[in-house]
Amino acid sequence: MTKIDSRSAAKLKTIGFTPLIYCSDNPLFHVSRNVPLVDALSMASDFLFLAKGLTQDAAYARDSDRHAWAAHYLTQMGKALVDDVVKVLEPAPARTQAEPKK
């Protein structure tokens, strides 16, 4: 695993490549680019914390599924943020073809 200098890590930002919540095979939303990774991960943590509470409520609420749907969307949002951060932190894929010699 490649180590990242904490000073350079503070400058890393989301790339905005991750879509979420699809309708008719088209993403309705995507992660915004240029959000500092620390802020994106903090927001993902908040989304997942809220989703956890809503799923507990959904387990006991028999009259409505609104808690479950809210948790579903918050979970998708949290996952998209984490996926976008991972895309920034992953090393670039190795080239499959050798570069031409000069």
Side-chain angles (χ1 to χ4, degrees):
M1 184 171 179
T2 306
K3 290 192 177 186
I4 297 174
D5 178 21
S6 62
R7 287 173 288 173
S8 62
K11 296 177 185 176
L12 294 175
K13 298 181 187 290
T14 57
I15 55 177
F17 285 167
T18 308
L20 65 140
I21 306 175
Y22 286 80
C23 182
S24 301
D25 295 331
N26 294 308
L28 291 175
F29 303 101
H30 67 276
V31 174
S32 295
R33 63 182 296 132
N34 293 325
V35 176
L37 295 190
V38 171
D39 294 341
L41 289 173
S42 177
M43 185 59 64
S45 178
D46 290 346
F47 288 154
L48 296 173
F49 174 78
L50 292 169
K52 178 184 174 275
L54 288 167
T55 55
Q56 289 173 331
D57 291 347
Y60 297 107
R62 301 285 180 220
D63 58 337
S64 173
D65 61 354
R66 67 180 178 185
H67 293 94
W69 279 109
H72 170 73
Y73 289 120
L74 285 167
T75 302
Q76 283 191 19
M77 292 163 58
K79 182 183 182 322
L81 282 169
V82 171
D83 288 350
D84 207 75
V85 167
V86 168
K87 289 174 186 171
V88 172
L89 296 177
E90 280 182 335
R95 293 191 175 149
T96 56
Q97 296 177 348
E99 292 200 20
K101 293 182 181 180
K102 295 182 181 178

